[in-house]
Amino acid sequence: MSSGNFARAQRFISGVNHDKTSKPPSFLAIRSSQTFIIVVVCLAIFTDILCYGLIVPVMPFSLTEQASVPEDQVQQWTAILLACYNAALVVGSPIAGIYADHTSSRRWPLLLGLLALCACTLLLCLAKSVALLVLGRLLQGLSAAIVWTVGLALLVDTVGRDIGQAMGWVSIAMAVGLLIAPVIGGAIYDSAGYYAVFYIAFAVIFCDIVLRLVLIEKKVARQWPDGTEMLADDGTGESHRHVHNDSDDVQENKEETRIPQLLPQAEPQQSIRQPDSEGAPGAAMVHDAEARVQASDARPVAVRPHHELIKSRRILTVLLGVVIEAVVVRRYRRTVANPAYNCDRFAFDTVVPIHIKDTFHWNSTAAGIIFICVTVPAFGSPLVGKLSDRYGAKWLSFAGFVTSVPPLVCLRFVTENTIQHKVLLCVLLTLLGVFMLTFANTPLLAEMTYAIEAKEHRRPGIWGEKGIYGIAYGLWTTAFALGGTIGSIMAGYINAGPGWGTLTWVLGLWSALGAIVCFGLGPKGDEKMDERSRSNTPGASGVESVPESKAV
């Protein structure tokens, strides 16, 4: 390949403008558009969940036939493998977030996560020993940590004010992956054998590789002469939140990227967003660019931004809410396909399928299909996210947790193999899909961004030039994994002891606790009044003086 062709290929893949006289990469506007980036991030999350769930039904065979584990030790080793996955996810997520915040690109960490996913899938496919299976699970947890942490941070960098709506699309990708992965894995294993399951995984990974290589971040697209105009024509509302400074960025973009905003500046000297309602998350957060620079220069950057992050009331509330939501219902759909060999029978994610199997005498496929009732409502998540962008996350999440209490408790009445009880189960699962997985979950995803932006507005420059979205969503992923682990242990022991009826009451109480926690979301007192006073100031173009002691 000639040097010219090599340079064109490199420019096509990286999108970086090394030579100011070069032509922009092909399809630059499409590859850097908000819609395309959302699709890539959602597919990345879907791929991660799919590869996890596909392997669930074949893991017992892999242990007994591939790794020569005795039949009576299968349950023990499956639990150990799950623990390895969770440990890597919990430990790896903050590390991936810190790394993402200190690199010049979000795309390359995403590609690194994809390489880890390829390696772990190959190891799990070919492993002939328990040691290789453990290594494969560790890599799988690390891959999930990178994909979730960096993917969500890239989404925040991209979508502007519509972060809640974008997180709604993420919720759909999660729901579809959680539903179909174990069902497809079990069906393919039964009909085509062990290796055919991994063929599906590699096919999806290949598609993911192509899209991640094609993707160009918006900050990279702005390096090209027409990049800004093309992004404006995209109509997506590009966000400039702490996007990373690339060493090849043009000088004018360096000044632009240090100004945290919710939307691109269509007209640089004008405010471009007014609050939609009292206490809305984006209310009065965007002001004149020059005033923001002056305010940022006047106030020192936090020496330890990570410490400031974990001290934030709103951030801690989000993390606690995520733990509670994961404890209740988040993980139960991952192991529907083969509950008899599930990696941890001590979880709500297995208690429900096993209860269905024991009560209705359904096979694993039928038990998996019933959870379509939970998945279908998730397609309303973008609408809920849009409401969250307009009105804030507090009352939507509160409503989700509160209204989830009755269906959780009423699951105790599903005890007989009758058509009435089957219909009752479908109705209750549908209500849980609407309330818990849509109303409670989606606003919590977006509230992390709302809280960070609000604190940046009150104390400009607190997060530094690199920003802190990577570590923020790394902590979100860690909370997610911890909640699932707590729920797994708790639910199994309660179901094995006091029984199914007691378990439903306990889960209802957890949901009620989540509703109480939601009162910590959103701005409070003086913070809300400060936002209202700024938003009511005509032509406000500066940042009012706010005592630095007032933390969000």
Side-chain angles (χ1 to χ4, degrees):
M1 180 182 292
S2 66
S3 59
N5 291 334
F6 178 79
R8 281 192 294 270
Q10 183 184 31
R11 186 167 62 250
F12 178 85
I13 294 175
S14 70
V16 176
N17 187 5
H18 294 289
D19 184 358
K20 307 307 179 185
T21 63
S22 301
K23 293 182 179 180
S26 301
F27 310 108
L28 176 63
I30 296 175
R31 295 166 61 189
S32 59
S33 67
Q34 174 176 307
T35 300
F36 183 76
I37 294 176
I38 290 176
V39 169
V40 172
V41 172
C42 289
L43 180 63
I45 290 174
F46 172 81
T47 302
D48 171 73
I49 294 174
L50 185 75
C51 290
Y52 180 99
L54 282 174
I55 299 170
V56 168
V58 306
M59 188 55 64
F61 174 85
S62 181
L63 284 168
T64 56
E65 302 296 329
Q66 302 286 96
S68 302
V69 172
E71 189 72 29
D72 59 349
Q73 296 182 18
V74 168
Q75 187 68 42
Q76 173 187 348
W77 277 108
T78 330
I80 292 174
L81 292 175
L82 175 69
C84 292
Y85 174 87
N86 284 337
L89 186 59
V90 169
V91 175
S93 295
I95 296 174
I98 293 173
Y99 173 70
D101 284 337
H102 287 80
T103 59
S104 62
S105 172
R106 303 283 197 199
R107 189 177 71 152
W108 295 114
L110 271 178
L111 287 170
L112 180 63
L114 188 59
L115 291 177
L117 182 61
C118 288
C120 77
T121 305
L122 188 62
L123 273 176
L124 293 173
C125 176
L126 302 177
K128 299 292 184 180
S129 67
V130 172
L132 289 179
L133 289 175
V134 169
L135 179 59
R137 277 302 206 182
L138 288 172
L139 282 175
Q140 193 174 46
L142 179 61
S143 169
I146 296 173
V147 167
W148 281 88
T149 300
V150 183
L152 293 178
L154 174 60
L155 210 58
V156 173
D157 289 342
T158 302
V159 300
R161 65 179 178 180
D162 299 324
I163 184 62
Q165 187 173 7
M167 292 302 180
W169 294 110
V170 170
S171 296
I172 292 177
M174 294 165 55
V176 174
L178 290 168
L179 173 71
I180 70 173
V183 177
I184 291 177
I188 293 176
Y189 174 66
D190 291 337
S191 60
Y194 176 78
Y195 291 104
V197 174
F198 292 92
Y199 297 157
I200 299 295
F202 286 123
V204 176
I205 290 174
F206 175 78
C207 295
D208 203 0
I209 289 175
V210 172
L211 288 181
R212 292 195 205 187
L213 288 175
V214 170
L215 179 144
I216 295 179
E217 295 178 63
K218 285 182 176 287
K219 72 181 183 68
V220 176
R222 288 197 301 273
Q223 298 175 17
W224 297 94
D226 297 330
T228 304
E229 288 79 1
M230 285 188 293
L231 293 176
D233 293 341
D234 168 5
T236 56
E238 151 70 356
S239 172
H240 293 188
R241 299 183 181 92
H242 298 300
V243 290
H244 304 285
N245 291 327
D246 193 286
S247 59
D248 299 306
D249 284 355
V250 292
Q251 183 65 30
E252 55 267 31
N253 283 338
K254 290 182 179 179
E255 182 66 19
E256 182 182 34
T257 55
R258 65 190 291 261
I259 305 171
Q261 296 177 332
L262 284 174
L263 288 172
Q265 292 188 341
E267 298 180 15
Q269 300 300 322
Q270 297 178 0
S271 174
I272 55 180
R273 186 179 180 190
Q274 293 299 326
D276 295 310
S277 66
E278 178 180 322
M285 283 186 177
V286 183
H287 293 282
D288 181 80
E290 293 182 355
R292 293 298 299 271
V293 173
Q294 294 172 2
S296 179
D297 293 338
R299 297 187 182 190
V301 176
V303 177
R304 294 182 296 175
H306 297 163
H307 186 239
E308 293 291 332
L309 182 73
I310 62 176
K311 287 198 313 181
S312 169
R313 167 187 57 81
R314 294 174 68 175
I315 295 295
L316 292 176
T317 301
V318 170
L319 296 179
L320 183 55
V322 170
V323 169
I324 293 172
E325 193 256 350
V327 165
V328 178
V329 294
R330 172 52 57 194
R331 293 168 53 85
Y332 67 85
R333 288 172 293 168
R334 290 192 177 187
T335 51
V336 173
N338 197 344
Y341 287 104
N342 171 48
C343 45
D344 76 345
R345 294 174 63 94
F346 302 173
F348 187 67
D349 53 354
T350 55
V351 167
V352 172
I354 290 174
H355 182 75
I356 291 173
K357 181 181 178 183
D358 293 342
T359 303
F360 301 144
H361 309 296
W362 287 348
N363 58 27
S364 59
T365 301
I369 292 175
I370 193 66
F371 287 99
I372 292 177
C373 297
V374 182
T375 302
V376 170
F379 284 88
S381 296
L383 176 59
V384 174
K386 191 171 184 177
L387 293 173
S388 180
D389 289 330
R390 184 175 178 85
Y391 299 108
K394 178 177 181 178
W395 296 111
L396 290 171
S397 287
F398 173 80
F401 279 111
V402 166
T403 52
S404 294
V405 174
L408 282 169
V409 174
C410 288
L411 282 172
R412 65 189 289 110
F413 300 120
V414 180
T415 56
E416 299 178 6
N417 187 14
T418 64
I419 189 64
Q420 291 84 358
H421 283 234
K422 293 175 183 177
V423 170
L424 176 61
L425 175 66
C426 292
V427 171
L428 294 176
L429 291 179
T430 301
L431 292 176
L432 284 175
V434 173
F435 300 141
M436 179 64 73
L437 301 184
T438 301
F439 274 88
N441 180 61
T442 304
L444 284 177
L445 273 165
E447 173 68 10
M448 186 73 75
T449 299
Y450 302 156
I452 291 174
E453 287 175 345
K455 194 156 190 172
E456 168 66 34
H457 179 74
R458 293 172 65 82
R459 299 175 61 183
I462 188 173
W463 308 126
E465 290 186 358
K466 292 293 186 180
I468 205 164
Y469 288 105
I471 182 61
Y473 280 101
L475 293 175
W476 190 98
T477 307
T478 296
F480 181 91
L482 285 175
T485 303
I486 294 171
S488 297
I489 298 173
M490 178 200 71
Y493 277 110
I494 293 176
N495 193 55
W500 170 254
T502 301
L503 174 62
T504 59
W505 277 111
V506 172
L507 294 175
L509 290 175
W510 272 94
S511 186
L513 177 61
I516 297 173
V517 168
C518 286
F519 284 104
L521 301 175
K524 294 285 187 181
D526 293 342
E527 302 164 6
K528 187 181 295 185
M529 293 176 62
D530 182 53
E531 289 185 5
R532 189 187 306 120
S533 65
R534 285 193 298 268
S535 64
N536 290 334
T537 303
S541 60
V543 179
E544 296 184 7
S545 176
V546 180
E548 291 192 307
S549 60
K550 287 186 177 294
V552 176

